[in-house]
Structure formats: C-alpha cells, structure tokens
Amino acid sequence: MKEKLYTIPVNDAFDSGCECPICFMKKTLENNAIEFTMGPSYMEDDVRAETDKTGFCSYHLGKLYENKNRLGLALMLKTHMDKTIKDLESLSVKKGKGPSLFKKTSENSPVKDYTDNLKSSCYICNKIENMFSLYISTFFYLYENDSAFPDKLKASKGFCTEHYGLLFQEADKHLNAGKAENFREELNKVYFDNMKRVREDLEWFIDKFDYRYVNEPWKNSKDALPRTMTKTNSVLEKDT
C-alpha cells in the first residue's frame, strides 16, 4: 500500500524499534503540541482563548517551562489568571443551596465545580488526545488495508500494558467480528511474548547484582529497567 501523509506517524512509530509504538506516537504528539504552544501560535487569539479557559496540567506546565520561552509562558499564564479571577469573583458571590432539613445535599458549589473542572483540564492534553484518537483509527485502517502492516505488528516489540488494553478494546470499533478476533490473537501473542522477553532481561539485570554472576555477560539486560518502565507504566525509554 502506498504510504499516505496520515499513515506516516504510525509507520514511523513501528519503525522506531520502541518497546511500545503507541507510546512513541503519543510522545511525538506531546513534543509537537509543546512546540506548537510555545511557538508564535501563543499570540493567536483562538489559541489564547483556549489556553485562558483550560490552562495546563501540572505535568505539561513543567514541560512548557523547560521549553525556555519564559515570556510566552508568562503571557499565557497571565491572561489565564485574568480569566480565572474574573470567573471566580462572579461565582463566589452566588448563593449556593443551603442544607436541607431532611436530607444532605451532595451538590458542589459553583466555585468547587469550576476549580475541579480547571484542575482536570489542560490545553496540551486536549491537543494530544484529539490527534491520538486519529492515530489509533489509522492503526486499525492500516491493519485492515495494508497487507504489510500485520507483519509489521507481529515483528514489533509489543506494547505497554495500558496501550495493549486500549488496542484490545478498540478492535471492535474498527474491525468486524472475525477480523477483531484474529487481531486480538495476534495482539495477545506480540504483547505477551515481548512482556516475557523484557521480564527475562530484567531478571538477568537483577541477577547481575549477585556476586555469583559478576563475571557473566550482561546479555540484553543493561537497559532492561527503562524498557520495563515503558512496558509497565508507559514511560518511554527515550524522547522522540
């Protein structure tokens, strides 16, 4: 199948040799989203309106700070603070429902709803997730329409546990019942075979700290710990 623009990121991820190509896709999206946010786009009205409304999660705020565009980040946070102050000043003077004589109310105040929503919102996360869902759709499109892609899947190093579960679940949305069942069989083999491979490398890594094995070769275990972190917690062993 001739490669199309929208299939390139998925194929690149599988060609990377990463312990989880889906993690690779997501990390690439994160890097692109941060670069976009801290580039000239932060001065555009539509981008600023969205960052003013959603703000950033703590993790991605740290990533933006590392980008070194301190003025751009300061400008975005300043107008985000302006909106937050204005909204909360308005909400804080609204009278909430008083306690009921006969039953307790579990409804939050408008202020608490606002702060809870803000805590769980992030411009970078939203940008990643919007594209990530398209990448997953493209993954299944390639599996169904590119004769070479199933072999690429089988030859891969598998997936992290989170993304194994995601692909297992998403199969029914993108494939008919017969193809979904076949896909899950292939997915199970590539996931479990590679989990066991990394687990064996990790076991040998541990054994190498035993004096009885000090003179034995490291085999493939020197980087077993970061590769295990990818498998268990979706922590990519290296940035894209």
Side-chain angles (χ1 to χ4, degrees):
M1 175 179 158
K2 186 176 180 180
E3 192 165 47
K4 299 178 173 63
L5 187 62
Y6 59 87
T7 66
I8 291 174
V10 178
N11 280 315
D12 284 351
F14 276 86
D15 292 339
S16 70
C18 177
E19 291 289 353
C20 179
I22 308 300
C23 284
F24 187 98
M25 295 179 209
K26 203 159 193 178
K27 187 63 179 178
T28 301
L29 286 172
E30 180 184 69
N31 291 343
N32 291 343
I34 290 170
E35 184 178 346
F36 172 85
T37 304
M38 298 311 296
S41 62
Y42 74 83
M43 293 299 294
E44 295 177 8
D45 290 343
D46 57 336
V47 173
R48 186 67 71 84
E50 194 63 27
T51 60
D52 287 352
K53 181 175 70 174
T54 61
F56 306 99
C57 66
S58 298
Y59 172 77
H60 285 130
L61 186 62
K63 290 293 183 182
L64 292 172
Y65 188 77
E66 291 172 5
N67 184 265
K68 305 299 184 184
N69 183 357
R70 302 293 165 77
L71 175 59
L73 181 58
L75 289 168
M76 283 188 288
L77 291 179
K78 188 264 181 188
T79 53
H80 171 62
M81 291 178 74
D82 290 342
K83 178 171 173 52
T84 302
I85 291 168
K86 180 180 178 181
D87 289 348
L88 285 174
E89 280 183 336
S90 176
L91 292 171
S92 64
V93 297
K94 291 184 177 179
K95 293 183 179 180
K97 294 182 179 179
S100 169
L101 181 63
F102 300 104
K103 63 180 180 179
K104 294 181 179 178
T105 179
S106 60
E107 294 182 4
N108 289 333
S109 67
V111 166
K112 186 63 164 57
D113 282 338
Y114 184 94
T115 56
D116 283 352
N117 289 335
L118 200 57
K119 181 181 178 180
S120 61
S121 68
C122 173
Y123 177 77
I124 301 294
C125 288
N126 292 347
K127 197 167 182 62
I128 292 169
E129 288 303 322
N130 289 339
M131 284 299 298
F132 184 65
S133 62
L134 296 177
Y135 281 13
I136 296 301
S137 296
T138 302
F139 168 90
F140 284 104
Y141 171 82
L142 285 169
Y143 179 82
E144 190 169 24
N145 295 281
D146 186 346
S147 60
F149 193 76
D151 289 336
K152 186 173 285 191
L153 169 64
K154 293 173 188 176
S156 74
K157 293 182 178 179
F159 305 94
C160 70
T161 298
E162 177 186 349
H163 293 137
Y164 160 71
L166 174 68
L167 294 174
F168 194 98
Q169 180 70 20
E170 289 287 313
D172 286 332
K173 298 179 183 179
H174 300 275
L175 305 171
N176 65 39
K179 288 184 178 179
E181 183 179 357
N182 183 67
F183 167 76
R184 287 197 181 102
E185 289 177 0
E186 295 175 357
L187 176 67
N188 284 342
K189 179 170 176 54
V190 75
Y191 170 73
F192 289 112
D193 284 355
N194 283 285
M195 281 288 282
K196 291 171 184 176
R197 169 183 57 81
V198 175
R199 188 253 178 218
E200 289 173 3
D201 289 344
L202 184 67
E203 184 175 30
W204 186 244
F205 176 84
I206 294 168
D207 287 343
K208 279 292 293 174
F209 287 84
D210 188 323
Y211 73 92
R212 293 173 297 177
Y213 302 99
V214 67
N215 292 321
E216 296 294 326
W218 280 91
K219 302 179 184 178
N220 295 320
S221 69
K222 281 191 174 182
D223 63 345
L225 191 54
R227 289 190 289 112
T228 299
M229 291 165 65
T230 300
K231 293 296 192 190
T232 60
N233 289 73
S234 308
V235 178
L236 202 62
E237 65 264 30
K238 60 183 178 180
D239 287 350
T240 58

